[in-house]
Amino acid sequence: MFENLKNASEIFSKMGEMRGKMEEIKKRISNLRVMGDAGAGMVQVTSTGDGAIVDVKINRTLFDSEDNKMLEDLVMAATNDAIQKAKQAAEYELKSITGGLDLSEISKLFGGNLG
């Protein structure tokens, strides 16, 4: 019984250490920049690691086209690509801090969402 209490104490101690590391990783993730593209680079969208779109570049030739649907589809595809890459980059950063431990399920027990 006391062994279980000791293990629980160690777990909570490590969780306190992880909280500081999580703040660091959140900053690193928000500073990450990833680029999604579509149409062989005709549309490029840049996102932060936490999914905020910070830049959109559209090749000028697409404005000369009368096919607005194609432009809309390319912007959507590039945005989705950037968001997917942002998720992957954030997961990589999170795993680098936690040593591969998936904290998403554990954090939900405490009302948070770390992963």
Side-chain angles (χ1 to χ4, degrees), residues 14 17-29 89-103:
K14 289 192 185 286
E17 294 171 19
M18 290 296 288
R19 183 172 292 125
K21 289 182 180 182
M22 290 307 299
E23 291 304 316
E24 174 190 332
I25 198 67
K26 284 181 184 180
K27 285 181 185 177
R28 285 175 48 184
I29 288 172
E91 287 173 8
Y92 177 82
E93 287 293 321
L94 189 59
K95 286 180 181 178
S96 72
I97 288 290
T98 64
L101 179 64
D102 180 10
L103 295 179

mmCIF file with all atom_site columns, all heavy atoms in Angstrom, residues 14 17-29 89-103:
data_model
loop_
_atom_site.group_PDB
_atom_site.id
_atom_site.type_symbol
_atom_site.label_atom_id
_atom_site.label_alt_id
_atom_site.label_comp_id
_atom_site.label_asym_id
_atom_site.label_entity_id
_atom_site.label_seq_id
_atom_site.pdbx_PDB_ins_code
_atom_site.Cartn_x
_atom_site.Cartn_y
_atom_site.Cartn_z
_atom_site.occupancy
_atom_site.B_iso_or_equiv
_atom_site.pdbx_formal_charge
_atom_site.auth_seq_id
_atom_site.auth_comp_id
_atom_site.auth_asym_id
_atom_site.auth_atom_id
_atom_site.pdbx_PDB_model_num
ATOM 1   N N   . LYS A 1 14  ? 6.875  14.399 -10.883 1.00 0.00 ? 14  LYS A N   1
ATOM 2   C CA  . LYS A 1 14  ? 7.296  14.491 -12.284 1.00 0.00 ? 14  LYS A CA  1
ATOM 3   C C   . LYS A 1 14  ? 6.323  15.339 -13.097 1.00 0.00 ? 14  LYS A C   1
ATOM 4   O O   . LYS A 1 14  ? 6.730  16.048 -14.013 1.00 0.00 ? 14  LYS A O   1
ATOM 5   C CB  . LYS A 1 14  ? 7.443  13.104 -12.893 1.00 0.00 ? 14  LYS A CB  1
ATOM 6   C CG  . LYS A 1 14  ? 8.642  12.348 -12.341 1.00 0.00 ? 14  LYS A CG  1
ATOM 7   C CD  . LYS A 1 14  ? 8.941  11.132 -13.143 1.00 0.00 ? 14  LYS A CD  1
ATOM 8   C CE  . LYS A 1 14  ? 10.048 10.319 -12.529 1.00 0.00 ? 14  LYS A CE  1
ATOM 9   N NZ  . LYS A 1 14  ? 11.349 10.901 -12.693 1.00 0.00 ? 14  LYS A NZ  1
ATOM 10  N N   . GLU A 1 17  ? 7.280  18.921 -12.757 1.00 0.00 ? 17  GLU A N   1
ATOM 11  C CA  . GLU A 1 17  ? 8.420  19.227 -13.619 1.00 0.00 ? 17  GLU A CA  1
ATOM 12  C C   . GLU A 1 17  ? 7.959  19.377 -15.067 1.00 0.00 ? 17  GLU A C   1
ATOM 13  O O   . GLU A 1 17  ? 8.430  20.261 -15.788 1.00 0.00 ? 17  GLU A O   1
ATOM 14  C CB  . GLU A 1 17  ? 9.470  18.119 -13.531 1.00 0.00 ? 17  GLU A CB  1
ATOM 15  C CG  . GLU A 1 17  ? 10.146 17.993 -12.185 1.00 0.00 ? 17  GLU A CG  1
ATOM 16  C CD  . GLU A 1 17  ? 11.022 16.747 -12.087 1.00 0.00 ? 17  GLU A CD  1
ATOM 17  O OE1 . GLU A 1 17  ? 11.390 16.173 -13.132 1.00 0.00 ? 17  GLU A OE1 1
ATOM 18  O OE2 . GLU A 1 17  ? 11.337 16.357 -10.960 1.00 0.00 ? 17  GLU A OE2 1
ATOM 19  N N   . MET A 1 18  ? 7.049  18.515 -15.471 1.00 0.00 ? 18  MET A N   1
ATOM 20  C CA  . MET A 1 18  ? 6.560  18.534 -16.844 1.00 0.00 ? 18  MET A CA  1
ATOM 21  C C   . MET A 1 18  ? 5.784  19.818 -17.140 1.00 0.00 ? 18  MET A C   1
ATOM 22  O O   . MET A 1 18  ? 5.807  20.308 -18.254 1.00 0.00 ? 18  MET A O   1
ATOM 23  C CB  . MET A 1 18  ? 5.672  17.323 -17.126 1.00 0.00 ? 18  MET A CB  1
ATOM 24  C CG  . MET A 1 18  ? 6.407  16.011 -17.168 1.00 0.00 ? 18  MET A CG  1
ATOM 25  S SD  . MET A 1 18  ? 7.602  15.930 -18.503 1.00 0.00 ? 18  MET A SD  1
ATOM 26  C CE  . MET A 1 18  ? 6.503  15.791 -19.888 1.00 0.00 ? 18  MET A CE  1
ATOM 27  N N   . ARG A 1 19  ? 5.121  20.366 -16.127 1.00 0.00 ? 19  ARG A N   1
ATOM 28  C CA  . ARG A 1 19  ? 4.340  21.589 -16.343 1.00 0.00 ? 19  ARG A CA  1
ATOM 29  C C   . ARG A 1 19  ? 5.243  22.717 -16.847 1.00 0.00 ? 19  ARG A C   1
ATOM 30  O O   . ARG A 1 19  ? 4.903  23.428 -17.790 1.00 0.00 ? 19  ARG A O   1
ATOM 31  C CB  . ARG A 1 19  ? 3.630  22.007 -15.059 1.00 0.00 ? 19  ARG A CB  1
ATOM 32  C CG  . ARG A 1 19  ? 2.740  23.228 -15.259 1.00 0.00 ? 19  ARG A CG  1
ATOM 33  C CD  . ARG A 1 19  ? 1.874  23.546 -14.047 1.00 0.00 ? 19  ARG A CD  1
ATOM 34  N NE  . ARG A 1 19  ? 0.878  22.494 -13.883 1.00 0.00 ? 19  ARG A NE  1
ATOM 35  C CZ  . ARG A 1 19  ? 0.703  21.802 -12.759 1.00 0.00 ? 19  ARG A CZ  1
ATOM 36  N NH1 . ARG A 1 19  ? 1.443  22.032 -11.710 1.00 0.00 ? 19  ARG A NH1 1
ATOM 37  N NH2 . ARG A 1 19  ? -0.220 20.880 -12.685 1.00 0.00 ? 19  ARG A NH2 1
ATOM 38  N N   . GLY A 1 20  ? 6.409  22.862 -16.237 1.00 0.00 ? 20  GLY A N   1
ATOM 39  C CA  . GLY A 1 20  ? 7.368  23.871 -16.691 1.00 0.00 ? 20  GLY A CA  1
ATOM 40  C C   . GLY A 1 20  ? 7.842  23.596 -18.101 1.00 0.00 ? 20  GLY A C   1
ATOM 41  O O   . GLY A 1 20  ? 7.956  24.515 -18.927 1.00 0.00 ? 20  GLY A O   1
ATOM 42  N N   . LYS A 1 21  ? 8.094  22.328 -18.391 1.00 0.00 ? 21  LYS A N   1
ATOM 43  C CA  . LYS A 1 21  ? 8.522  21.959 -19.737 1.00 0.00 ? 21  LYS A CA  1
ATOM 44  C C   . LYS A 1 21  ? 7.409  22.212 -20.748 1.00 0.00 ? 21  LYS A C   1
ATOM 45  O O   . LYS A 1 21  ? 7.680  22.598 -21.886 1.00 0.00 ? 21  LYS A O   1
ATOM 46  C CB  . LYS A 1 21  ? 8.951  20.499 -19.788 1.00 0.00 ? 21  LYS A CB  1
ATOM 47  C CG  . LYS A 1 21  ? 10.257 20.235 -19.079 1.00 0.00 ? 21  LYS A CG  1
ATOM 48  C CD  . LYS A 1 21  ? 10.659 18.783 -19.193 1.00 0.00 ? 21  LYS A CD  1
ATOM 49  C CE  . LYS A 1 21  ? 11.972 18.515 -18.485 1.00 0.00 ? 21  LYS A CE  1
ATOM 50  N NZ  . LYS A 1 21  ? 12.380 17.126 -18.629 1.00 0.00 ? 21  LYS A NZ  1
ATOM 51  N N   . MET A 1 22  ? 6.162  22.020 -20.330 1.00 0.00 ? 22  MET A N   1
ATOM 52  C CA  . MET A 1 22  ? 5.041  22.224 -21.239 1.00 0.00 ? 22  MET A CA  1
ATOM 53  C C   . MET A 1 22  ? 4.917  23.693 -21.620 1.00 0.00 ? 22  MET A C   1
ATOM 54  O O   . MET A 1 22  ? 4.596  24.010 -22.766 1.00 0.00 ? 22  MET A O   1
ATOM 55  C CB  . MET A 1 22  ? 3.731  21.722 -20.626 1.00 0.00 ? 22  MET A CB  1
ATOM 56  C CG  . MET A 1 22  ? 3.649  20.210 -20.516 1.00 0.00 ? 22  MET A CG  1
ATOM 57  S SD  . MET A 1 22  ? 3.971  19.339 -22.060 1.00 0.00 ? 22  MET A SD  1
ATOM 58  C CE  . MET A 1 22  ? 2.674  19.971 -23.085 1.00 0.00 ? 22  MET A CE  1
ATOM 59  N N   . GLU A 1 23  ? 5.153  24.592 -20.682 1.00 0.00 ? 23  GLU A N   1
ATOM 60  C CA  . GLU A 1 23  ? 5.114  26.019 -21.011 1.00 0.00 ? 23  GLU A CA  1
ATOM 61  C C   . GLU A 1 23  ? 6.180  26.346 -22.049 1.00 0.00 ? 23  GLU A C   1
ATOM 62  O O   . GLU A 1 23  ? 5.939  27.102 -22.987 1.00 0.00 ? 23  GLU A O   1
ATOM 63  C CB  . GLU A 1 23  ? 5.290  26.872 -19.753 1.00 0.00 ? 23  GLU A CB  1
ATOM 64  C CG  . GLU A 1 23  ? 4.118  26.818 -18.804 1.00 0.00 ? 23  GLU A CG  1
ATOM 65  C CD  . GLU A 1 23  ? 2.806  27.206 -19.458 1.00 0.00 ? 23  GLU A CD  1
ATOM 66  O OE1 . GLU A 1 23  ? 2.772  28.199 -20.210 1.00 0.00 ? 23  GLU A OE1 1
ATOM 67  O OE2 . GLU A 1 23  ? 1.800  26.508 -19.224 1.00 0.00 ? 23  GLU A OE2 1
ATOM 68  N N   . GLU A 1 24  ? 7.354  25.748 -21.866 1.00 0.00 ? 24  GLU A N   1
ATOM 69  C CA  . GLU A 1 24  ? 8.439  25.955 -22.830 1.00 0.00 ? 24  GLU A CA  1
ATOM 70  C C   . GLU A 1 24  ? 8.050  25.419 -24.202 1.00 0.00 ? 24  GLU A C   1
ATOM 71  O O   . GLU A 1 24  ? 8.254  26.078 -25.223 1.00 0.00 ? 24  GLU A O   1
ATOM 72  C CB  . GLU A 1 24  ? 9.712  25.246 -22.347 1.00 0.00 ? 24  GLU A CB  1
ATOM 73  C CG  . GLU A 1 24  ? 10.847 25.275 -23.329 1.00 0.00 ? 24  GLU A CG  1
ATOM 74  C CD  . GLU A 1 24  ? 11.996 24.370 -22.934 1.00 0.00 ? 24  GLU A CD  1
ATOM 75  O OE1 . GLU A 1 24  ? 12.188 24.123 -21.731 1.00 0.00 ? 24  GLU A OE1 1
ATOM 76  O OE2 . GLU A 1 24  ? 12.709 23.923 -23.846 1.00 0.00 ? 24  GLU A OE2 1
ATOM 77  N N   . ILE A 1 25  ? 7.467  24.250 -24.236 1.00 0.00 ? 25  ILE A N   1
ATOM 78  C CA  . ILE A 1 25  ? 7.123  23.636 -25.522 1.00 0.00 ? 25  ILE A CA  1
ATOM 79  C C   . ILE A 1 25  ? 5.991  24.406 -26.200 1.00 0.00 ? 25  ILE A C   1
ATOM 80  O O   . ILE A 1 25  ? 5.973  24.537 -27.422 1.00 0.00 ? 25  ILE A O   1
ATOM 81  C CB  . ILE A 1 25  ? 6.786  22.137 -25.368 1.00 0.00 ? 25  ILE A CB  1
ATOM 82  C CG1 . ILE A 1 25  ? 6.866  21.437 -26.725 1.00 0.00 ? 25  ILE A CG1 1
ATOM 83  C CG2 . ILE A 1 25  ? 5.426  21.905 -24.803 1.00 0.00 ? 25  ILE A CG2 1
ATOM 84  C CD1 . ILE A 1 25  ? 8.208  21.367 -27.296 1.00 0.00 ? 25  ILE A CD1 1
ATOM 85  N N   . LYS A 1 26  ? 5.055  24.952 -25.426 1.00 0.00 ? 26  LYS A N   1
ATOM 86  C CA  . LYS A 1 26  ? 3.985  25.758 -26.020 1.00 0.00 ? 26  LYS A CA  1
ATOM 87  C C   . LYS A 1 26  ? 4.559  26.973 -26.730 1.00 0.00 ? 26  LYS A C   1
ATOM 88  O O   . LYS A 1 26  ? 4.112  27.327 -27.825 1.00 0.00 ? 26  LYS A O   1
ATOM 89  C CB  . LYS A 1 26  ? 2.982  26.195 -24.949 1.00 0.00 ? 26  LYS A CB  1
ATOM 90  C CG  . LYS A 1 26  ? 2.040  25.111 -24.512 1.00 0.00 ? 26  LYS A CG  1
ATOM 91  C CD  . LYS A 1 26  ? 1.084  25.642 -23.472 1.00 0.00 ? 26  LYS A CD  1
ATOM 92  C CE  . LYS A 1 26  ? 0.187  24.548 -22.938 1.00 0.00 ? 26  LYS A CE  1
ATOM 93  N NZ  . LYS A 1 26  ? -0.756 25.058 -21.923 1.00 0.00 ? 26  LYS A NZ  1
ATOM 94  N N   . LYS A 1 27  ? 5.554  27.604 -26.121 1.00 0.00 ? 27  LYS A N   1
ATOM 95  C CA  . LYS A 1 27  ? 6.204  28.747 -26.770 1.00 0.00 ? 27  LYS A CA  1
ATOM 96  C C   . LYS A 1 27  ? 6.922  28.311 -28.038 1.00 0.00 ? 27  LYS A C   1
ATOM 97  O O   . LYS A 1 27  ? 6.856  28.986 -29.066 1.00 0.00 ? 27  LYS A O   1
ATOM 98  C CB  . LYS A 1 27  ? 7.208  29.408 -25.812 1.00 0.00 ? 27  LYS A CB  1
ATOM 99  C CG  . LYS A 1 27  ? 6.572  30.227 -24.743 1.00 0.00 ? 27  LYS A CG  1
ATOM 100 C CD  . LYS A 1 27  ? 7.634  30.868 -23.863 1.00 0.00 ? 27  LYS A CD  1
ATOM 101 C CE  . LYS A 1 27  ? 7.005  31.608 -22.714 1.00 0.00 ? 27  LYS A CE  1
ATOM 102 N NZ  . LYS A 1 27  ? 8.024  32.181 -21.817 1.00 0.00 ? 27  LYS A NZ  1
ATOM 103 N N   . ARG A 1 28  ? 7.633  27.179 -27.959 1.00 0.00 ? 28  ARG A N   1
ATOM 104 C CA  . ARG A 1 28  ? 8.354  26.684 -29.130 1.00 0.00 ? 28  ARG A CA  1
ATOM 105 C C   . ARG A 1 28  ? 7.386  26.360 -30.258 1.00 0.00 ? 28  ARG A C   1
ATOM 106 O O   . ARG A 1 28  ? 7.655  26.667 -31.430 1.00 0.00 ? 28  ARG A O   1
ATOM 107 C CB  . ARG A 1 28  ? 9.197  25.461 -28.771 1.00 0.00 ? 28  ARG A CB  1
ATOM 108 C CG  . ARG A 1 28  ? 10.440 25.828 -27.990 1.00 0.00 ? 28  ARG A CG  1
ATOM 109 C CD  . ARG A 1 28  ? 11.243 24.669 -27.504 1.00 0.00 ? 28  ARG A CD  1
ATOM 110 N NE  . ARG A 1 28  ? 11.527 23.647 -28.494 1.00 0.00 ? 28  ARG A NE  1
ATOM 111 C CZ  . ARG A 1 28  ? 12.163 22.524 -28.211 1.00 0.00 ? 28  ARG A CZ  1
ATOM 112 N NH1 . ARG A 1 28  ? 12.573 22.274 -26.983 1.00 0.00 ? 28  ARG A NH1 1
ATOM 113 N NH2 . ARG A 1 28  ? 12.383 21.636 -29.141 1.00 0.00 ? 28  ARG A NH2 1
ATOM 114 N N   . ILE A 1 29  ? 6.265  25.754 -29.935 1.00 0.00 ? 29  ILE A N   1
ATOM 115 C CA  . ILE A 1 29  ? 5.275  25.392 -30.949 1.00 0.00 ? 29  ILE A CA  1
ATOM 116 C C   . ILE A 1 29  ? 4.681  26.645 -31.591 1.00 0.00 ? 29  ILE A C   1
ATOM 117 O O   . ILE A 1 29  ? 4.537  26.720 -32.804 1.00 0.00 ? 29  ILE A O   1
ATOM 118 C CB  . ILE A 1 29  ? 4.183  24.484 -30.350 1.00 0.00 ? 29  ILE A CB  1
ATOM 119 C CG1 . ILE A 1 29  ? 4.763  23.085 -30.087 1.00 0.00 ? 29  ILE A CG1 1
ATOM 120 C CG2 . ILE A 1 29  ? 2.956  24.407 -31.260 1.00 0.00 ? 29  ILE A CG2 1
ATOM 121 C CD1 . ILE A 1 29  ? 3.858  22.158 -29.320 1.00 0.00 ? 29  ILE A CD1 1
ATOM 122 N N   . ALA A 1 89  ? 4.396  18.952 -36.798 1.00 0.00 ? 89  ALA A N   1
ATOM 123 C CA  . ALA A 1 89  ? 5.528  19.629 -36.164 1.00 0.00 ? 89  ALA A CA  1
ATOM 124 C C   . ALA A 1 89  ? 5.297  19.768 -34.660 1.00 0.00 ? 89  ALA A C   1
ATOM 125 O O   . ALA A 1 89  ? 6.215  19.568 -33.859 1.00 0.00 ? 89  ALA A O   1
ATOM 126 C CB  . ALA A 1 89  ? 5.757  20.993 -36.803 1.00 0.00 ? 89  ALA A CB  1
ATOM 127 N N   . ALA A 1 90  ? 4.070  20.099 -34.268 1.00 0.00 ? 90  ALA A N   1
ATOM 128 C CA  . ALA A 1 90  ? 3.752  20.242 -32.845 1.00 0.00 ? 90  ALA A CA  1
ATOM 129 C C   . ALA A 1 90  ? 3.882  18.898 -32.132 1.00 0.00 ? 90  ALA A C   1
ATOM 130 O O   . ALA A 1 90  ? 4.422  18.830 -31.021 1.00 0.00 ? 90  ALA A O   1
ATOM 131 C CB  . ALA A 1 90  ? 2.343  20.802 -32.679 1.00 0.00 ? 90  ALA A CB  1
ATOM 132 N N   . GLU A 1 91  ? 3.410  17.829 -32.761 1.00 0.00 ? 91  GLU A N   1
ATOM 133 C CA  . GLU A 1 91  ? 3.542  16.498 -32.172 1.00 0.00 ? 91  GLU A CA  1
ATOM 134 C C   . GLU A 1 91  ? 5.008  16.113 -32.004 1.00 0.00 ? 91  GLU A C   1
ATOM 135 O O   . GLU A 1 91  ? 5.401  15.551 -30.986 1.00 0.00 ? 91  GLU A O   1
ATOM 136 C CB  . GLU A 1 91  ? 2.826  15.456 -33.034 1.00 0.00 ? 91  GLU A CB  1
ATOM 137 C CG  . GLU A 1 91  ? 1.327  15.527 -32.951 1.00 0.00 ? 91  GLU A CG  1
ATOM 138 C CD  . GLU A 1 91  ? 0.630  14.598 -33.938 1.00 0.00 ? 91  GLU A CD  1
ATOM 139 O OE1 . GLU A 1 91  ? 1.310  13.778 -34.600 1.00 0.00 ? 91  GLU A OE1 1
ATOM 140 O OE2 . GLU A 1 91  ? -0.602 14.700 -34.060 1.00 0.00 ? 91  GLU A OE2 1
ATOM 141 N N   . TYR A 1 92  ? 5.820  16.430 -32.996 1.00 0.00 ? 92  TYR A N   1
ATOM 142 C CA  . TYR A 1 92  ? 7.247  16.137 -32.931 1.00 0.00 ? 92  TYR A CA  1
ATOM 143 C C   . TYR A 1 92  ? 7.896  16.898 -31.769 1.00 0.00 ? 92  TYR A C   1
ATOM 144 O O   . TYR A 1 92  ? 8.659  16.321 -30.995 1.00 0.00 ? 92  TYR A O   1
ATOM 145 C CB  . TYR A 1 92  ? 7.930  16.504 -34.249 1.00 0.00 ? 92  TYR A CB  1
ATOM 146 C CG  . TYR A 1 92  ? 9.420  16.287 -34.224 1.00 0.00 ? 92  TYR A CG  1
ATOM 147 C CD1 . TYR A 1 92  ? 9.947  15.017 -34.440 1.00 0.00 ? 92  TYR A CD1 1
ATOM 148 C CD2 . TYR A 1 92  ? 10.289 17.340 -33.965 1.00 0.00 ? 92  TYR A CD2 1
ATOM 149 C CE1 . TYR A 1 92  ? 11.310 14.804 -34.402 1.00 0.00 ? 92  TYR A CE1 1
ATOM 150 C CE2 . TYR A 1 92  ? 11.655 17.136 -33.925 1.00 0.00 ? 92  TYR A CE2 1
ATOM 151 C CZ  . TYR A 1 92  ? 12.165 15.869 -34.137 1.00 0.00 ? 92  TYR A CZ  1
ATOM 152 O OH  . TYR A 1 92  ? 13.514 15.670 -34.089 1.00 0.00 ? 92  TYR A OH  1
ATOM 153 N N   . GLU A 1 93  ? 7.568  18.175 -31.641 1.00 0.00 ? 93  GLU A N   1
ATOM 154 C CA  . GLU A 1 93  ? 8.130  18.983 -30.549 1.00 0.00 ? 93  GLU A CA  1
ATOM 155 C C   . GLU A 1 93  ? 7.683  18.433 -29.203 1.00 0.00 ? 93  GLU A C   1
ATOM 156 O O   . GLU A 1 93  ? 8.480  18.338 -28.274 1.00 0.00 ? 93  GLU A O   1
ATOM 157 C CB  . GLU A 1 93  ? 7.709  20.445 -30.685 1.00 0.00 ? 93  GLU A CB  1
ATOM 158 C CG  . GLU A 1 93  ? 8.393  21.178 -31.803 1.00 0.00 ? 93  GLU A CG  1
ATOM 159 C CD  . GLU A 1 93  ? 9.886  21.358 -31.577 1.00 0.00 ? 93  GLU A CD  1
ATOM 160 O OE1 . GLU A 1 93  ? 10.326 21.622 -30.443 1.00 0.00 ? 93  GLU A OE1 1
ATOM 161 O OE2 . GLU A 1 93  ? 10.629 21.232 -32.564 1.00 0.00 ? 93  GLU A OE2 1
ATOM 162 N N   . LEU A 1 94  ? 6.426  18.073 -29.089 1.00 0.00 ? 94  LEU A N   1
ATOM 163 C CA  . LEU A 1 94  ? 5.896  17.550 -27.837 1.00 0.00 ? 94  LEU A CA  1
ATOM 164 C C   . LEU A 1 94  ? 6.589  16.244 -27.466 1.00 0.00 ? 94  LEU A C   1
ATOM 165 O O   . LEU A 1 94  ? 6.987  16.045 -26.320 1.00 0.00 ? 94  LEU A O   1
ATOM 166 C CB  . LEU A 1 94  ? 4.384  17.341 -27.950 1.00 0.00 ? 94  LEU A CB  1
ATOM 167 C CG  . LEU A 1 94  ? 3.647  17.005 -26.663 1.00 0.00 ? 94  LEU A CG  1
ATOM 168 C CD1 . LEU A 1 94  ? 3.830  18.105 -25.630 1.00 0.00 ? 94  LEU A CD1 1
ATOM 169 C CD2 . LEU A 1 94  ? 2.170  16.796 -26.945 1.00 0.00 ? 94  LEU A CD2 1
ATOM 170 N N   . LYS A 1 95  ? 6.770  15.368 -28.438 1.00 0.00 ? 95  LYS A N   1
ATOM 171 C CA  . LYS A 1 95  ? 7.431  14.089 -28.167 1.00 0.00 ? 95  LYS A CA  1
ATOM 172 C C   . LYS A 1 95  ? 8.895  14.290 -27.803 1.00 0.00 ? 95  LYS A C   1
ATOM 173 O O   . LYS A 1 95  ? 9.452  13.520 -27.027 1.00 0.00 ? 95  LYS A O   1
ATOM 174 C CB  . LYS A 1 95  ? 7.295  13.153 -29.361 1.00 0.00 ? 95  LYS A CB  1
ATOM 175 C CG  . LYS A 1 95  ? 5.911  12.577 -29.491 1.00 0.00 ? 95  LYS A CG  1
ATOM 176 C CD  . LYS A 1 95  ? 5.788  11.650 -30.673 1.00 0.00 ? 95  LYS A CD  1
ATOM 177 C CE  . LYS A 1 95  ? 4.364  11.128 -30.775 1.00 0.00 ? 95  LYS A CE  1
ATOM 178 N NZ  . LYS A 1 95  ? 4.185  10.269 -31.945 1.00 0.00 ? 95  LYS A NZ  1
ATOM 179 N N   . SER A 1 96  ? 9.533  15.332 -28.342 1.00 0.00 ? 96  SER A N   1
ATOM 180 C CA  . SER A 1 96  ? 10.933 15.556 -28.016 1.00 0.00 ? 96  SER A CA  1
ATOM 181 C C   . SER A 1 96  ? 11.096 15.964 -26.551 1.00 0.00 ? 96  SER A C   1
ATOM 182 O O   . SER A 1 96  ? 12.088 15.637 -25.922 1.00 0.00 ? 96  SER A O   1
ATOM 183 C CB  . SER A 1 96  ? 11.544 16.625 -28.937 1.00 0.00 ? 96  SER A CB  1
ATOM 184 O OG  . SER A 1 96  ? 11.058 17.912 -28.623 1.00 0.00 ? 96  SER A OG  1
ATOM 185 N N   . ILE A 1 97  ? 10.108 16.639 -26.003 1.00 0.00 ? 97  ILE A N   1
ATOM 186 C CA  . ILE A 1 97  ? 10.168 17.052 -24.598 1.00 0.00 ? 97  ILE A CA  1
ATOM 187 C C   . ILE A 1 97  ? 9.761  15.905 -23.679 1.00 0.00 ? 97  ILE A C   1
ATOM 188 O O   . ILE A 1 97  ? 10.333 15.722 -22.621 1.00 0.00 ? 97  ILE A O   1
ATOM 189 C CB  . ILE A 1 97  ? 9.248  18.273 -24.358 1.00 0.00 ? 97  ILE A CB  1
ATOM 190 C CG1 . ILE A 1 97  ? 9.859  19.513 -24.986 1.00 0.00 ? 97  ILE A CG1 1
ATOM 191 C CG2 . ILE A 1 97  ? 8.996  18.512 -22.885 1.00 0.00 ? 97  ILE A CG2 1
ATOM 192 C CD1 . ILE A 1 97  ? 11.100 20.032 -24.313 1.00 0.00 ? 97  ILE A CD1 1
ATOM 193 N N   . THR A 1 98  ? 8.759  15.133 -24.077 1.00 0.00 ? 98  THR A N   1
ATOM 194 C CA  . THR A 1 98  ? 8.222  14.093 -23.198 1.00 0.00 ? 98  THR A CA  1
ATOM 195 C C   . THR A 1 98  ? 8.882  12.746 -23.400 1.00 0.00 ? 98  THR A C   1
ATOM 196 O O   . THR A 1 98  ? 8.494  11.772 -22.762 1.00 0.00 ? 98  THR A O   1
ATOM 197 C CB  . THR A 1 98  ? 6.709  13.929 -23.423 1.00 0.00 ? 98  THR A CB  1
ATOM 198 O OG1 . THR A 1 98  ? 6.497  13.472 -24.765 1.00 0.00 ? 98  THR A OG1 1
ATOM 199 C CG2 . THR A 1 98  ? 5.969  15.220 -23.170 1.00 0.00 ? 98  THR A CG2 1
ATOM 200 N N   . GLY A 1 99  ? 9.862  12.671 -24.280 1.00 0.00 ? 99  GLY A N   1
ATOM 201 C CA  . GLY A 1 99  ? 10.517 11.395 -24.536 1.00 0.00 ? 99  GLY A CA  1
ATOM 202 C C   . GLY A 1 99  ? 9.605  10.404 -25.220 1.00 0.00 ? 99  GLY A C   1
ATOM 203 O O   . GLY A 1 99  ? 9.737  9.199  -25.051 1.00 0.00 ? 99  GLY A O   1
ATOM 204 N N   . GLY A 1 100 ? 8.628  10.896 -25.984 1.00 0.00 ? 100 GLY A N   1
ATOM 205 C CA  . GLY A 1 100 ? 7.722  10.027 -26.719 1.00 0.00 ? 100 GLY A CA  1
ATOM 206 C C   . GLY A 1 100 ? 6.461  9.675  -25.954 1.00 0.00 ? 100 GLY A C   1
ATOM 207 O O   . GLY A 1 100 ? 5.563  9.032  -26.486 1.00 0.00 ? 100 GLY A O   1
ATOM 208 N N   . LEU A 1 101 ? 6.353  10.109 -24.700 1.00 0.00 ? 101 LEU A N   1
ATOM 209 C CA  . LEU A 1 101 ? 5.175  9.829  -23.888 1.00 0.00 ? 101 LEU A CA  1
ATOM 210 C C   . LEU A 1 101 ? 3.996  10.642 -24.396 1.00 0.00 ? 101 LEU A C   1
ATOM 211 O O   . LEU A 1 101 ? 4.108  11.853 -24.592 1.00 0.00 ? 101 LEU A O   1
ATOM 212 C CB  . LEU A 1 101 ? 5.464  10.187 -22.420 1.00 0.00 ? 101 LEU A CB  1
ATOM 213 C CG  . LEU A 1 101 ? 4.348  9.980  -21.416 1.00 0.00 ? 101 LEU A CG  1
ATOM 214 C CD1 . LEU A 1 101 ? 4.007  8.498  -21.307 1.00 0.00 ? 101 LEU A CD1 1
ATOM 215 C CD2 . LEU A 1 101 ? 4.753  10.534 -20.067 1.00 0.00 ? 101 LEU A CD2 1
ATOM 216 N N   . ASP A 1 102 ? 2.867  9.997  -24.636 1.00 0.00 ? 102 ASP A N   1
ATOM 217 C CA  . ASP A 1 102 ? 1.669  10.685 -25.113 1.00 0.00 ? 102 ASP A CA  1
ATOM 218 C C   . ASP A 1 102 ? 0.913  11.234 -23.914 1.00 0.00 ? 102 ASP A C   1
ATOM 219 O O   . ASP A 1 102 ? 0.292  10.497 -23.162 1.00 0.00 ? 102 ASP A O   1
ATOM 220 C CB  . ASP A 1 102 ? 0.790  9.717  -25.908 1.00 0.00 ? 102 ASP A CB  1
ATOM 221 C CG  . ASP A 1 102 ? -0.479 10.377 -26.437 1.00 0.00 ? 102 ASP A CG  1
ATOM 222 O OD1 . ASP A 1 102 ? -0.591 11.615 -26.354 1.00 0.00 ? 102 ASP A OD1 1
ATOM 223 O OD2 . ASP A 1 102 ? -1.342 9.647  -26.949 1.00 0.00 ? 102 ASP A OD2 1
ATOM 224 N N   . LEU A 1 103 ? 0.978  12.552 -23.732 1.00 0.00 ? 103 LEU A N   1
ATOM 225 C CA  . LEU A 1 103 ? 0.333  13.179 -22.589 1.00 0.00 ? 103 LEU A CA  1
ATOM 226 C C   . LEU A 1 103 ? -1.119 13.546 -22.851 1.00 0.00 ? 103 LEU A C   1
ATOM 227 O O   . LEU A 1 103 ? -1.810 13.981 -21.942 1.00 0.00 ? 103 LEU A O   1
ATOM 228 C CB  . LEU A 1 103 ? 1.098  14.455 -22.201 1.00 0.00 ? 103 LEU A CB  1
ATOM 229 C CG  . LEU A 1 103 ? 2.515  14.244 -21.705 1.00 0.00 ? 103 LEU A CG  1
ATOM 230 C CD1 . LEU A 1 103 ? 3.145  15.586 -21.380 1.00 0.00 ? 103 LEU A CD1 1
ATOM 231 C CD2 . LEU A 1 103 ? 2.537  13.348 -20.496 1.00 0.00 ? 103 LEU A CD2 1
#
